[in-house]
Amino acid sequence: MLNIKHAFERLKNVLRKINPNMVLPDNFFKYLWDYMEEITPDPDEPLVKQGSIPKFAYFIIRGFISVYYHDEKGNKLVKRFYGEECIVALLSFL
């Protein structure tokens, strides 16, 4: 079983790789740790519903997330999939 401390180390590595030359503020990772929560959503439960504004960013520890929307006919259209060690945030839902 993966614990949140191990997942947090993985998240830190991903964030550092985004721009290795960027110096992050000293308290950046403490801030993330203080506000990060581990969730396990139900497979059929959307994290963000169509038309809503996302309130969180998600770091995928295990499995995958699909981003989809329903067209005017009600068809489910998948935009993309995100897998382990991906960050799913506001722009992912646009």
Side-chain angles (χ1 to χ4, degrees):
M1 180 79 177
L2 195 60
N3 67 42
I4 197 165
K5 286 185 180 182
H6 184 255
F8 188 68
E9 289 302 315
R10 289 169 52 192
L11 172 60
K12 286 168 47 175
N13 290 332
V14 168
L15 291 171
R16 286 183 182 121
K17 288 178 186 176
I18 291 172
N19 184 349
N21 298 319
M22 182 179 191
V23 178
L24 297 171
D26 292 337
N27 60 350
F28 179 72
F29 290 117
K30 181 187 179 325
Y31 176 84
L32 283 181
W33 177 257
D34 290 346
Y35 289 94
M36 192 167 99
E37 292 182 31
E38 183 175 13
I39 64 167
T40 304
D42 292 329
D44 297 326
E45 178 185 352
L47 294 174
V48 179
K49 293 184 179 179
Q50 186 169 330
S52 299
I53 297 172
K55 296 179 183 175
F56 305 101
Y58 301 93
F59 178 66
I60 303 170
I61 297 170
R62 185 182 5 251
F64 69 92
I65 297 286
S66 63
V67 176
Y68 64 88
Y69 68 96
H70 291 94
D71 66 11
E72 61 280 344
K73 295 179 183 177
N75 298 314
K76 180 178 172 179
L77 304 171
V78 176
K79 292 292 285 179
R80 62 183 61 93
F81 291 97
Y82 292 92
E84 294 179 7
E85 298 195 0
C86 285
I87 298 171
V88 183
L90 180 61
L91 290 178
S92 305
F93 297 106
L94 297 179

